[in-house]
Amino acid sequence: MDGSAEHRFPCPTCGSDMRYAPAQDLLTCDHCGHTEDMHSEGGPWGGPVIAELDFRAAVAGVLEAQEMEETRTVTCASCGAEFEFAPDTHAAECPFCASPVVTDTGANRHIKPRGVLPFLLDEAQARAAMNRWLGKLWFAPSGLAQYARAGRAMQGIYTPYWTYDARTDSSYTGQRGDAYYVTRPMTVMRDGKPVTVMRQERRIRWRPASGRVNRFFDDVLILASRSLEKDEAEGLAPWDLSALEPYRPEFLAGFRAEAYTVPLEEGFTEAREIIDRTIRRDVRFDIGGDEQRIGSIETRIDGITFKHVLLPVWTAAYRYRGKSYRFVVNGRTGQVRGQRPWSGWKIAAAVAAGLAVAAVIGFLVATGR
């Protein structure tokens, strides 16, 4: 079954496709103005509480059939983004790098999304946030701001993430260091003469330490897309995951959804690095003292569960002198990150102006003015 077809909702009044309007939190028809309340009691929009899935079962390939779906996707040859297309779409531009792409007809089988964080900002608000960010850039080509202000529409993309939950129990060995001070004489020079003074010297008294720490990790968030750079994704944080809604395709009406390209197991490897760093911090806190040495940590991890969730990102991609650049905007907070070119003549002008100022200052100093 083509999953993208499920994201189209005909208007009951005129038959046109309805879309999700972030500002109103409604499905709306741009053709006749009809709206539908997604949260009406007893309506078709309600869903269950977001449930976690068993990580081990997913890795073993034994998830229940209803947790899987097939969607028609296309992969951009330039940046590697993989995203869904409607059945009647045959060619378009990649929303992440502005490269032309031609859709294929292949089906992608993957784990269904469990949760979605709906857009709060509409396209006009996202573009305004991007323009404010562009206005703060130094040494950017003038054409960059002109491009953004020209009003070219941004695209709303739901970006895939994994979240992982786990219980950990860790035993450790190490050493606790407690500081103490001793007073000892030191010779210093004063007015050209050696003088003996008493100074305190910090020392550490070490003693063995061992113990156990345990923690429940909730929603360790890992980007499941390769189209965004890590620093771009981190720059969009934080995400208010407490506002996650159970997945409903109505939220995707009028938007695109990117398919995950980071496999579940690979994502957990990255999550485990975050978990291990947190455990080391917990161990240091448990050892106490002024300094700590960690000898060994043995961690038992169980109860691993996960969710595939979609987070809202507005994107704008453009090409400048043969290279692709993009901006991304958090669809909830308006946080902006982007790639930017540098204007050579602006940098040269600034350098020249700086040298001119330095020369004037030097002349005034030399002439005593």
Side-chain angles (χ1 to χ4, degrees):
M1 179 179 181
D2 188 345
S4 59
E6 298 177 1
H7 302 161
R8 306 182 71 177
F9 299 91
C11 173
T13 302
C14 69
S16 298
D17 283 343
M18 302 186 75
R19 64 176 178 83
Y20 176 67
Q24 292 81 35
D25 192 24
L26 297 168
L27 282 177
T28 182
C29 177
D30 292 331
H31 182 71
C32 71
H34 179 77
T35 61
E36 291 280 352
D37 183 2
M38 294 178 59
H39 304 284
S40 58
E41 188 172 351
W45 318 115
V49 174
I50 303 176
E52 302 282 335
L53 297 177
D54 184 83
F55 174 76
R56 308 289 185 194
V59 171
V62 293
L63 279 181
E64 296 182 2
Q66 61 264 31
E67 303 300 341
M68 308 297 294
E69 67 176 356
E70 286 188 356
T71 55
R72 178 171 170 253
T73 61
V74 61
T75 302
C76 175
S78 296
C79 71
E82 187 171 304
F83 43 92
E84 295 182 22
F85 267 101
D88 56 354
T89 302
H90 301 290
E93 185 179 82
C94 175
F96 292 98
C97 70
S99 297
V101 294
V102 178
T103 66
D104 59 27
T105 56
N108 177 39
R109 183 169 175 79
H110 57 246
I111 299 170
K112 288 181 181 178
R114 273 281 178 155
V116 58
L117 197 56
F119 280 87
L120 280 183
L121 304 183
D122 60 24
E123 192 270 338
Q125 292 170 315
R127 189 168 64 250
M130 182 182 69
N131 284 335
R132 288 193 297 270
W133 182 79
L134 286 171
K136 299 176 183 178
L137 292 183
W138 288 74
F139 305 128
S142 300
L144 179 61
Q146 293 171 0
Y147 166 86
R149 296 189 179 97
R152 178 177 177 179
M154 302 183 75
Q155 297 194 51
I157 305 287
Y158 278 104
T159 302
Y161 281 77
W162 300 113
T163 73
Y164 299 91
D165 292 3
R167 292 187 301 271
T168 63
D169 183 54
S170 304
S171 59
Y172 69 84
T173 62
Q175 292 179 301
R176 169 181 173 137
D178 295 300
Y180 67 99
Y181 295 84
V182 296
T183 303
R184 56 188 298 269
M186 294 183 63
T187 300
V188 299
M189 300 299 292
R190 289 181 179 171
D191 300 326
K193 297 179 181 180
V195 177
T196 299
V197 297
M198 304 303 290
R199 293 280 176 86
Q200 283 195 320
E201 185 177 274
R202 184 178 187 269
R203 296 181 181 177
I204 298 293
R205 182 179 293 109
W206 294 99
R207 58 187 177 87
S210 61
R212 305 182 75 88
V213 296
N214 54 72
R215 176 184 281 266
F216 175 72
F217 288 87
D218 182 40
D219 284 346
V220 179
L221 187 66
I222 300 297
L223 177 67
S225 164
R226 301 191 196 277
S227 59
L228 291 181
E229 300 292 340
K230 290 290 185 183
D231 58 343
E232 288 178 322
E234 291 170 0
L236 294 179
W239 294 96
D240 51 338
L241 296 183
S242 62
L244 276 171
E245 295 272 2
Y247 174 78
R248 285 170 282 174
E250 291 80 7
F251 284 120
L252 275 63
F255 297 96
R256 284 181 177 168
E258 186 184 3
Y260 63 81
T261 50
V262 174
L264 178 67
E265 216 168 352
E266 182 180 331
F268 184 71
T269 298
E270 186 175 344
R272 183 63 193 263
E273 293 175 0
I274 297 173
I275 289 171
D276 288 343
R277 286 198 299 269
T278 304
I279 291 173
R280 289 186 67 86
R281 185 189 65 192
D282 289 349
V283 166
R284 290 186 180 279
F285 182 82
D286 198 62
I287 290 175
D290 299 298
E291 296 184 20
Q292 304 84 32
R293 292 173 177 167
I294 298 177
S296 65
I297 300 177
E298 294 185 5
T299 296
R300 181 170 57 87
I301 184 167
D302 55 22
I304 307 172
T305 59
F306 75 95
K307 297 188 300 291
H308 171 205
V309 300
L310 302 175
L311 305 187
V313 176
W314 286 101
T315 70
Y318 73 104
R319 299 187 72 82
Y320 179 80
R321 294 187 176 180
K323 294 185 64 176
S324 293
Y325 298 88
R326 67 161 169 252
F327 310 117
V328 289
V329 181
N330 183 316
R332 308 249 326 161
T333 66
Q335 184 71 25
V336 182
R337 283 294 181 271
Q339 304 165 334
R340 46 84 58 88
W342 298 86
S343 172
W345 75 265
K346 286 187 178 181
I347 295 173
V351 171
L355 291 175
V357 171
V360 171
I361 294 174
F363 173 76
L364 293 176
V365 172
T367 57
R369 297 183 185 182

